[in-house]
Amino acid sequence: MASGFGNDGGRGRCFHFWQEFNKCYVSASVPQQCVNERDDYLECLHHTKEIARITRIKTEELKQAHAKKQSASQAKNEATTAADSNLPKLNIIDQQQQPVESKA
């Protein structure tokens, strides 16, 4: 909290950032000089950048998991197609050994 008091009565977690922002704002001739301090304070309060980063990481993680699942499914389909093909039926693969007759 900007008041400086946290939930348990001690200093708030963002009080240090508020002091830095306030010090900069008082000493600055133009308020735009304190943009970085303001951004730090607002990030401490709302965690917007942190949440955006976590969202991007989670989205990429889900995208990679989906791609992996899809490639596994495609490989399974290709294996099934190869097993069900006509090659074994044409005696090209899995030919049975025929006994060779010898002439004596």
Side-chain angles (χ1 to χ4, degrees), residues 31-78:
Q32 284 77 15
Q33 292 174 337
C34 301
V35 171
N36 292 336
E37 286 81 359
R38 185 197 65 195
D39 288 345
D40 289 343
Y41 176 62
L42 291 176
E43 174 61 24
C44 180
L45 285 177
H46 304 294
H47 305 286
T48 52
K49 293 178 186 175
E50 180 182 3
I51 292 169
R53 181 174 183 266
I54 290 170
T55 303
R56 282 193 313 267
I57 290 170
K58 189 66 175 171
T59 302
E60 183 62 29
E61 193 175 79
L62 290 173
K63 190 187 304 181
Q64 288 179 3
H66 180 69
K68 185 177 180 181
K69 184 178 179 183
Q70 212 169 17
S71 67
S73 174
Q74 183 179 4
K76 182 179 178 183
N77 287 342
E78 289 174 358

Side-chain angles (χ1 to χ4, degrees), residues 11-25:
R11 285 193 157 183
R13 65 169 190 213
C14 301
F15 184 66
H16 175 73
F17 293 106
W18 170 253
Q19 283 182 324
E20 291 295 321
F21 173 62
N22 200 16
K23 187 188 322 179
C24 177
Y25 194 76

